[in-house]
């Protein structure tokens, strides 16, 4: 729903500049959690709270140039040149915390809103430390777009807490990372539940997948059917996660992947994050990375068109070759490719070039 702009008690979201009201807990445009006060003020740096900002017409209407033609977007939200409706910041956003790590999250073509979300972080040194989190909101649940973004960001905060040293051995360091990833899933679950009204008849829910790379040690964990892959430049492509879905259960009984993933219940998941979730402990996989390659974390909006690890690895490598190996451009091109296949779902692609 749109926020009525009737008085200066309205505010703007500190994350994206979209209009919000003091009653809102989350920004409708970008999903950011809001901590709004009662008095307008100038945003302060280095604070834990996000103060309110008095609205002006210029701020409310500042949605940037038209993505279709570059023209000016008018106060009604439509381009004054070509007439295209301006996209909400939540419909398409990108992150690049370091030159070697980036992600793109897109609404796709079919859906009216983007219920996918991602949150990524990385150290500057290539191959040192990267944290990639993707959550896919369940379309049949309420407020899943808000919940998925809150979950992804909550998980990233936990994963950023510090390097996992363990007792100094590889096995203890792996155990420490696994424990931190499980704590991240706990935080993500809490964020989803906090995004749900206590009396909601259909509580918000989403999938969860996270990959942590720390100095050559790669740990991935998931709940639902969002995935992580490792594509070494030399060697066999690896699917790091196993879906919690009816399709995966059929595959385990011997049904071919093509048949299972094209059936009527192909995307019915058996585990998820949310108030009604039976269990939210991620299944984890640990891998020692010994050479260069691509780490991919994605939603089913991408892998639905190319599911198996080997052909998906070929797609990523070919796409990267056309973008000079730049992660952000490669992620964007993969999103464009998925949209060209039909864009039947929201699409999230997060990449680390190691």
């Amino acid at each position: 729903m749109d926020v009525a702009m009737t008085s200066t008690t309205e505010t703007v979201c500190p994350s994206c500049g979209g209009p919000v009201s003091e009653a809102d807990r989350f920004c409708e445009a970008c999903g950011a959690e809001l901590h709004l006060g009662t008095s307008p003020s100038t945003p302060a740096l280095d604070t834990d709270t996000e103060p309110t900002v008095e609205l002006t017409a210029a701020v409310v209407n500042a949605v940037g140039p038209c993505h279709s033609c570059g023209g000016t977007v008018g106060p009604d939200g439509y381009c004054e040149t070509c007439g295209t409706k301006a996209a909400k910041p939540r419909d398409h956003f990108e992150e690049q915390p370091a030159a070697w790590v980036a992600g793109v999250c897109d609404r796709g073509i079919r859906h009216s809103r983007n219920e996918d979300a991602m949150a990524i972080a990385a150290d500057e040194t290539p191959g040192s430390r990267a944290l990639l989190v993707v959550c896919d909101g369940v379309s049949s649940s309420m407020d899943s777009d808000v919940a998925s973004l809150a979950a992804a960001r909550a998980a990233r905060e936990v994963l950023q807490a510090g390097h996992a040293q363990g007792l100094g051995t590889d096995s203890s360091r792996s155990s420490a990372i696994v424990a931190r990833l499980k704590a991240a899933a706990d935080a993500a679950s809490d964020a989803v539940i906090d995004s749900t009204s206590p009396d909601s008849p259909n509580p918000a829910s989403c999938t969860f997948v996270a990959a942590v790379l720390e100095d050559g040690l790669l740990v991935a964990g998931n709940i639902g059917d969002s995935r992580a892959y490792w594509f070494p430049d030399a060697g066999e492509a690896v699917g790091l996660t196993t879906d919690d879905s009816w399709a995966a259960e059929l595959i385990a009984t011997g049904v071919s992947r093509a048949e299972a993933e094209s059936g009527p219940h192909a995307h019915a998941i058996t585990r998820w994050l949310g108030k009604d979730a039976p269990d939210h402990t991620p299944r984890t996989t640990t891998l020692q990375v010994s050479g260069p390659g691509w780490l991919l974390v994605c939603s089913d909006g991408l892998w639905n068109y190319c599911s198996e690890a080997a052909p998906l690895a070929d797609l990523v490598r070919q796409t990267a070759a056309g973008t000079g190996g730049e992660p952000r451009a490669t992620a964007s091109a993969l999103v464009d490719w998925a949209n060209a296949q039909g864009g039947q779902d929201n699409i999230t692609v997060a990449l680390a070039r190691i």
Side-chain angles (χ1 to χ4, degrees):
M1 56 181 287
D2 294 328
V3 178
M5 294 179 287
T6 57
S7 72
T8 56
T9 60
E10 294 169 323
T11 61
V12 293
C13 171
S15 297
C16 72
V20 297
S21 74
E22 290 182 359
D24 290 337
R25 294 168 54 211
F26 295 89
C27 172
E28 183 179 352
C30 71
E33 185 175 4
L34 303 173
H35 303 282
L36 302 177
T38 57
S39 302
S41 63
T42 301
L45 297 178
D46 301 323
T47 61
D48 293 331
T49 59
E50 299 165 333
T52 60
V53 181
E54 184 173 1
L55 282 184
T56 65
V59 172
V60 171
N61 296 326
V63 295
C66 172
H67 289 289
S68 296
C69 72
T72 300
V73 177
D76 60 355
Y78 289 84
C79 176
E80 295 176 346
T81 302
C82 70
T84 300
K85 186 176 181 179
K88 295 180 179 179
R90 184 70 174 85
D91 285 349
H92 180 99
F93 64 97
E94 303 180 2
E95 294 182 4
Q96 186 163 25
W100 60 289
V101 176
V104 176
C105 184
D106 186 77
R107 178 173 61 87
I109 295 173
R110 178 182 174 186
H111 286 281
S112 60
R113 65 178 182 176
N114 186 11
E115 294 165 339
D116 271 13
M118 67 176 181
I120 60 180
D123 291 348
E124 288 297 324
T125 303
S128 56
R129 185 180 189 229
L131 314 170
L132 310 178
V133 182
V134 169
C135 294
D136 180 355
V138 176
S139 297
S140 59
S141 64
M142 297 178 64
D143 298 323
S144 60
D145 55 333
V146 174
S148 63
L149 189 57
R153 290 176 173 175
R156 178 179 61 185
E157 287 182 10
V158 172
L159 294 174
Q160 283 182 294
H163 287 267
Q165 298 300 323
L167 300 176
T169 64
D170 287 343
S171 61
S172 64
R173 190 160 66 97
S174 173
S175 297
I177 295 175
V178 168
R180 186 147 46 90
L181 198 151
K182 290 181 178 178
D186 288 341
S189 176
D190 290 342
V192 173
I193 294 172
D194 289 344
S195 302
T196 301
S197 172
D199 56 355
S200 173
N202 194 5
S205 55
C206 67
T207 68
F208 171 87
V209 62
V212 178
L213 173 75
E214 290 191 0
D215 301 320
L217 187 62
L218 177 57
V219 180
N222 73 298
I223 303 158
D225 64 354
S226 295
R227 297 181 179 179
Y229 296 86
W230 167 240
F231 302 143
D233 289 355
E236 185 178 354
V238 180
L240 298 170
T241 54
T242 300
D243 295 346
D244 297 305
S245 68
W246 286 113
E249 293 189 7
L250 289 174
I251 292 170
T253 66
V255 176
S256 71
R257 179 176 294 274
E259 181 180 351
E261 292 182 348
S262 61
H265 303 295
H267 293 281
I269 56 176
T270 55
R271 293 204 306 146
W272 57 88
L273 297 182
K275 182 180 179 181
D276 58 352
D279 171 47
H280 66 263
T281 302
R283 287 189 284 184
T284 59
T285 299
T286 301
L287 180 70
Q288 191 70 43
V289 174
S290 59
W294 288 96
L295 171 62
L296 167 68
V297 178
C298 66
S299 66
D300 59 352
L302 176 70
W303 68 251
N304 190 49
Y305 298 110
C306 191
S307 175
E308 295 190 56
L312 185 54
D314 290 340
L315 174 65
V316 171
R317 293 174 186 134
Q318 292 167 9
T319 304
T323 62
E326 202 283 315
R328 186 168 184 164
T330 302
S332 182
L334 288 168
V335 168
D336 290 344
W337 176 85
N339 276 323
Q341 310 311 304
Q344 295 295 302
D345 204 348
N346 308 143
I347 309 155
T348 303
V349 177
L351 290 169
R353 174 58 190 174
I354 302 167

